[in-house]
Structure formats: C-alpha cells, structure tokens
Amino acid sequence: MEALQTAQQLNRRTFLSRAGFSLGAVALNSLLAKDRARAGAAAPFSADAPHFTPKAKRVIYLFQSGAPSQLDLFDFKPALKDKRGAELPASVRMGQRITTMTAFQGKLPVAPSIFQFAQHGRSGAWLSELLPHTARIVDDLSFIKSMQTEAINHDPAITFCQTGSQLAGRPSMGAWVAYGLGSINKDLPAFAVLVSRGTGHPVDQPLYDRLWGSGFLPGRYQGVKLRSGKEPVLYLANPAGCDPHTRRQMLDDLGELNQLRYADTGDPEVLTRVAQYELAYRMQTAAPELTDLSREPAYVLDKYGPDVRKPGTYAFNCLMARRLAERDVRFIQLYHMGWDQHTDLPTQIRGQCRDTDQASAALIDDLKQRGLLQDTLVIWGGEFGRTVYSQGALTEVNYGRDHHPRCYTVWLAGGGARPGYVHGETDDFSYNIVRDPVEVYDLNATILHLLGFDHTRLIYKFQGRDFRLTDVHGQVVKQILA
C-alpha cells in the first residue's frame, strides 16, 4: 500500500493536479492555453456555436454496407448492351489495380445491367426498375454520380467513409458532430446507431463497433447502438430487485465517488462515466417511449412497408430514424448490410432493394410532411462501387461484380442539399469519372458545411497534432448546395 501511494505521488498527472499555483501548474496552464488557441475560439464547441448559420440541424446517414452496384441502380449505360461479354478495354482500365478475387480471371467480360432504366421527375434522373419508390422522390434528391475513394477493400473503405482515415482509431463522423454541436435532447444520446441485415442472402461483411466510436475524442461522444428486442440499449433496465429509488441513490453515491476520483487524477474520462450513467438513467424512460409504435397512425406505418413492425429490419430502423430526428438527436447512423454481391447479383440486389427502397423513400416523405426535411440532412450510399466486368461466369441472366473504388453513386436530401440535381459523370463503362470528381474528403467537408462548420476548423488536438475529420484534404462541393 505504501509503495502504491509513493508511485501515485510521483505520477506526473497526480503531481500537477496537486501542485496548485506551483511552477508545474503555471506551465501546464500555459500549454493548455496554447492548445486552446490553436484549436480556435470555438473549441470546446457547444450546441450554439457552429462557425456560421447551418442549413442542417441533424444528420441521418443511411449507410449501405457492402457497396451497392451503381451500374444496376443509378448509372445508366445503354451503350454497354452491344458490348456484352467483350473484354474490358485496356484503355479503360489503364492498369488500375483490382482485387485478388478477379485479378487471376482469364477474362474480364463486360456485364451490362439486365435491369430496365427510366427517367423520373422534373429532374429527369435515371433510375433502375429496382427502385420504384425512390423514383417517386427523385426531385427531392441530389445525386453525386462521381464519388471516388482510395480504398479497394471493405473494412478500410467503410472506415475511411465514416472516420476520414483507412486506419482504425479515428473518431467517427457522428462523434465529430456530437463534439462540435453538442446534444439538444438531454434524455437521448447525441449520436445513435441502428444496424440491419439484408434478408434472403448471405451477409459476410462484419461491422465493428469502432465505426461509431469516439476514437481519441472523449468517450461521451461515441455512438449509442440501439438494438432490436426487449432492451433497445444493453444494461439500461434496473437489475432484478432494484427499484427506481434505490437506483437513483446508487447513482448519486457512485457520482460522489467518481468526483473524488476526478479530483485525485484529473482524468476527464471519469466525468464521462458520470455523464453516461446519468444519461442511461434518463433513457430508462425515453428509450421505451421511442420504440413504442402504438401511437403511430396506420397510414404512416404502411408507407414504410410490411417489415416496419419487425424490430431490427431496415424499415423499422428508418422509422426509428424519423422518431429520433423529431426528438432532436444530432446524428443518426443506420447501417444496412448485404450489398457485397460478387456472385448472383441479379437475385441478391432484388432482395436488397425490396429491403431498402420503400423505407428510404418513406423516410424522406415522412420528414418532408412533418417539416423536418428542411433541417435534416439525409445521406444514402456505400463505401465504393462495383465493376462493369463480371466476377465469375457471365450469362444472359446472371453475373457478379467486384469492388470498384474509381466511381460510385450516393444521394443526399434535405438539410440544404440541392434538390432535383445530378452531379458528375462517368465514362461509357461506369469505370472512370469524366466530370466533377468528388472524393470522400469532399463529401465529408460538404456534410460539415451544411451543419455550419468550416471543416478545417473543427479540430481536436491529440498527441501534439491537430486532427480533423477531413485530415488535410477536402473541398466543399458547392454545386450540390441549395
């Protein structure tokens, strides 16, 4: 025990926290003041301190994990019909690296989409027959057909989209937004996460909790995963035999102990623990009410489709996203798994579209009718695109597609995004971008801009360096701003 006390006395953090107005305390305050100055006058951020007037108050990110095929959904290439089975020209590929799943195929045969396309709305946007519900709302959407990424495999590509880095450990976009804007609803987290899985076909790409983690930001900014089943959030319910009064008393006592611990160590994560315990206590009332659909009108439920009453489905999660948005949760992240269609794409993509098309469109309609779309930014997209050439055997009715980082499509709606607009263009093979390329950094910079932030100023100092979501890159895509 005596040795432990001696070690604590020699601990640098303990020494400085107890040094009062000693030379060590003065030096520490000087260093912290410099850090605060470098981070800008707005740091630490609060709920009323964006850099300029925002267009969006909150974000709903409908992330389609596994990478939807732009060729079969959005990027209509009629000239490919006459090239079925032909080798992808070297002049198109230009030596681009491809994954080991197709690198050793004897041939890279062009595989035109077997699905019909048509133009819709006043904007004339082209959409596949697989998306009849999205077709109804095209004039509310801003399509980016010229997205590109640096990553060619799923985990680094998803990590890149969500954190601005292919390497794990950085804060997620939702954590950055929670850090920058703070929380409005004191009874729910600022950053909520829901996950669904595609039905009727294998889902082989895992999602890791770090995708909604806070990285080196304080732990209070990490996402809270809402689960299907009786307990939307694990460990929220009181233990058996513990009544609300006992629970409150226990938390008060625990809070006092943690305050003593914080006074002793100065570790901010101790205060984060206190805040999380208190949020969990308040959520005991808020979470059951959030997931109770008994007061939702039948016509609203019908909009989202037959799966909306099944917790854990994409339709249910889209309805939860609207309910979270109207309760002023800042960042609502949905992940839908199952778009990784290397083989049997025609069958599998039909299933994915049945899972997602109606509910995605219903969410936009629902937000619009409630007056929420104007200040809610909705994003739909995956981590990269799919190849024009077939992975495996190509037949008249079947093909697969490999990963393709050079071009893919995402769409945005509401929150200051320009409605009824199509940005960018790809070549005749949907392989290379020929006009207005948009990198992941650019998309993330644009999302932050719509939330009222200059992405170069939303920073956090860690290990001697200023970090941000867009690292040292990124330009706001001004053409898609309303």
Side-chain angles (χ1 to χ4, degrees), residues 160-178:
F160 186 31
C161 287
Q162 300 291 280
T163 72
S165 172
Q166 295 186 52
L167 301 178
R170 299 282 183 91
S172 59
M173 184 187 300
W176 278 112
V177 172

Side-chain angles (χ1 to χ4, degrees), residues 177-394:
V177 172
Y179 162 66
L181 290 177
S183 181
I184 305 174
N185 187 327
K186 65 181 180 63
D187 296 330
L188 289 170
F191 177 17
V193 180
L194 302 106
V195 178
S196 56
R197 300 172 66 89
T199 57
H201 54 273
V203 176
D204 57 1
Q205 291 300 327
L207 292 173
Y208 301 102
D209 287 9
R210 58 176 166 75
L211 292 172
W212 50 90
S214 58
F216 46 69
L217 291 175
R220 71 183 66 184
Y221 301 118
Q222 69 184 3
V224 173
K225 185 179 179 182
L226 303 181
R227 303 159 58 91
S228 59
K230 294 181 179 179
E231 286 190 75
V233 181
L234 285 178
Y235 314 118
L236 205 60
N238 289 334
C242 179
D243 59 45
H245 174 74
T246 303
R247 177 77 159 195
R248 180 67 267 170
Q249 190 174 40
M250 179 190 73
L251 288 176
D252 289 343
D253 292 343
L254 192 58
E256 290 181 13
L257 290 172
N258 275 308
Q259 288 292 345
L260 291 172
R261 180 64 176 167
Y262 176 71
D264 190 48
T265 66
D267 184 354
E269 286 301 301
V270 175
L271 297 184
T272 292
R273 271 203 305 274
V274 174
Q276 298 295 64
Y277 288 147
E278 292 298 329
L279 175 61
Y281 180 77
R282 297 191 299 271
M283 284 181 66
Q284 287 184 326
T285 300
E289 186 275 333
L290 171 70
T291 57
D292 179 9
L293 305 186
S294 61
R295 295 186 182 180
E296 286 286 351
Y299 76 90
V300 172
L301 295 174
D302 290 343
K303 275 185 183 182
Y304 286 86
D307 290 336
V308 72
R309 292 176 176 84
K310 301 176 185 175
T313 63
Y314 183 80
F316 179 87
N317 287 352
C318 280
L319 179 58
M320 286 299 103
R322 189 223 78 202
R323 291 172 68 85
L324 287 162
E326 65 186 350
R327 288 160 176 77
D328 278 328
V329 172
R330 284 289 191 192
F331 201 96
I332 304 149
Q333 177 77 63
L334 274 67
Y335 291 98
H336 185 68
M337 306 166 69
W339 290 97
D340 190 24
Q341 291 144 8
H342 291 271
T343 60
D344 199 21
L345 182 143
T347 298
Q348 293 185 16
I349 201 169
R350 284 188 181 99
Q352 284 294 93
C353 290
R354 281 194 299 270
D355 288 343
T356 61
D357 176 46
Q358 183 173 354
S360 297
L363 175 60
I364 301 301
D365 275 339
D366 206 358
L367 291 169
K368 191 174 182 180
Q369 290 175 10
R370 293 167 188 269
L372 289 168
L373 187 60
Q374 62 186 3
D375 60 3
T376 302
L377 177 63
V378 183
I379 307 146
W380 188 105
E383 64 268 34
F384 41 61
R386 313 299 301 197
T387 56
V388 66
Y389 56 82
S390 178
Q391 177 174 340
L394 170 66

Side-chain angles (χ1 to χ4, degrees), residues 28-70:
L28 178 63
N29 285 331
S30 174
L31 290 171
L32 291 176
K34 289 179 182 178
D35 288 351
R36 285 192 292 269
R38 291 187 65 189
F45 296 89
S46 62
D48 59 354
H51 299 136
F52 45 81
T53 304
K55 297 289 184 68
K57 188 177 179 181
R58 64 190 75 81
V59 171
I60 300 175
Y61 202 139
L62 307 175
F63 195 87
Q64 311 301 316
S65 177
S69 169
Q70 78 283 357

Side-chain angles (χ1 to χ4, degrees), residues 142 417-418 421-423 436 438 446 476-482:
S142 185
R418 181 179 173 182
Y421 175 66
V422 178
H423 183 83
D436 297 329
V438 177
T446 305
V476 174
V477 187
K478 294 182 179 179
Q479 297 95 316
I480 68 170
L481 306 180

